[in-house]
């Protein structure tokens, strides 16, 4: 069986940091399309169109995505135990 390797990159930013997403196609894998971000995020897909959408949206989050992330951070900091003065 012939293994085809295909690579693409997406450059963008999220959470105030510049990131690069690398997409690959490896014909030897059962789920051939994968992506990896410099922030540590990775996924595998069976469809190249779905892979492109996820990679693009990860590097170029919509306003709604940014609001959701900010709300999660605020909720997390509100739940954190506060230090009391002794």
């Amino acid at each position: 069986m012939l293994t085809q390797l295909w690579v693409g990159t997406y450059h963008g930013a999220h959470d105030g940091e510049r990131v690069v997403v690398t997409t690959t196609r490896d014909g030897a894998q059962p789920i051939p399309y994968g992506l990896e971000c410099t922030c540590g995020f990775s996924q595998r897909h069976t469809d190249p169109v779905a892979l492109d959408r996820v990679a693009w949206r990860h590097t170029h989050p919509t306003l709604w995505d940014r609001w959701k992330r900010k709300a999660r951070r605020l909720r997390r900091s509100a739940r954190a135990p506060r230090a009391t003065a002794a």
Side-chain angles (χ1 to χ4, degrees), residues 15-79:
D15 297 332
E17 294 184 30
R18 306 279 303 155
V19 294
V20 176
V21 171
T22 305
T23 58
T24 57
R25 181 192 188 284
D26 185 357
Q29 299 292 324
I31 302 177
Y33 299 97
L35 69 89
E36 244 181 68
C37 182
T38 53
C39 72
F41 174 75
S42 65
Q43 277 188 349
R44 300 216 50 92
H45 293 274
T46 55
D47 179 24
V49 175
L51 177 79
D52 286 338
R53 282 189 195 133
V54 171
W56 178 261
R57 189 139 181 207
H58 186 72
T59 54
H60 300 84
T62 63
L63 182 59
W64 180 248
D65 291 335
R66 290 185 298 228
W67 283 351
K68 285 192 306 187
R69 284 185 185 147
K70 186 173 185 176
R72 267 188 249 135
R73 281 195 308 264
L74 290 173
R75 261 186 266 135
R76 226 178 289 137
S77 64
R79 289 184 194 161

Side-chain angles (χ1 to χ4, degrees), residues 1-6 24-28 32-33:
M1 178 178 189
L2 179 64
T3 299
Q4 177 187 1
L5 185 60
W6 164 84
T24 57
R25 181 192 188 284
D26 185 357
Y33 299 97

